[in-house]
């Protein structure tokens, strides 16, 4: 009798857990949720590229100063 109750409880618990996970997965796959996730990724990529571009220009200026190269031209200044 105890064994049957154990297996009944275990099966019910696993079934409830699986239903909860499935419901959460279905909610995450709605079009609105996917658009929200994609917009977050897009913003992260934009932030990353902005940071890389800023660091690249700063490093280029450091190298120009260290190597004694001529000052950046007007077109180079427009990129900053």
């Amino acid at each position: 009798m105890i064994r049957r109750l154990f297996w009944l409880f275990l099966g019910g618990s696993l079934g409830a857990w699986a239903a909860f996970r499935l419901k959460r997965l279905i909610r995450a796959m709605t079009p609105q949720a996917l658009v929200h996730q994609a917009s977050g990724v897009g913003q992260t990529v934009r932030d990353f590229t902005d940071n890389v571009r800023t660091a690249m220009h700063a490093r280029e200026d450091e190298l120009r100063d260290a190597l004694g190269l001529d000052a950046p031209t007007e077109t180079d200044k427009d990129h900053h």
Side-chain angles (χ1 to χ4, degrees):
M1 180 73 170
I2 298 285
R3 276 185 151 171
R4 286 184 183 172
L5 287 175
F6 170 77
W7 289 113
L8 178 67
F9 176 75
L10 183 63
S13 298
L14 289 175
W17 177 79
F20 170 75
R21 296 289 292 184
L22 184 61
K23 187 184 289 188
R24 200 164 89 178
L25 177 66
I26 289 171
R27 239 184 290 132
M29 298 309 269
T30 62
Q32 295 88 3
L34 294 174
V35 166
H36 181 69
Q37 290 172 5
S39 68
V41 169
Q43 184 61 44
T44 302
V45 170
R46 278 189 295 277
D47 291 344
F48 174 75
T49 55
D50 289 343
N51 290 339
V52 168
R53 192 171 293 119
T54 301
M56 179 183 68
H57 290 301
R59 182 64 178 148
E60 183 179 347
D61 291 341
E62 289 174 11
L63 290 172
R64 284 183 177 277
D65 289 342
L67 296 174
L69 297 176
D70 56 333
T73 63
E74 283 300 315
T75 56
D76 289 339
K77 288 181 182 177
D78 291 341
H79 294 295
H80 295 277

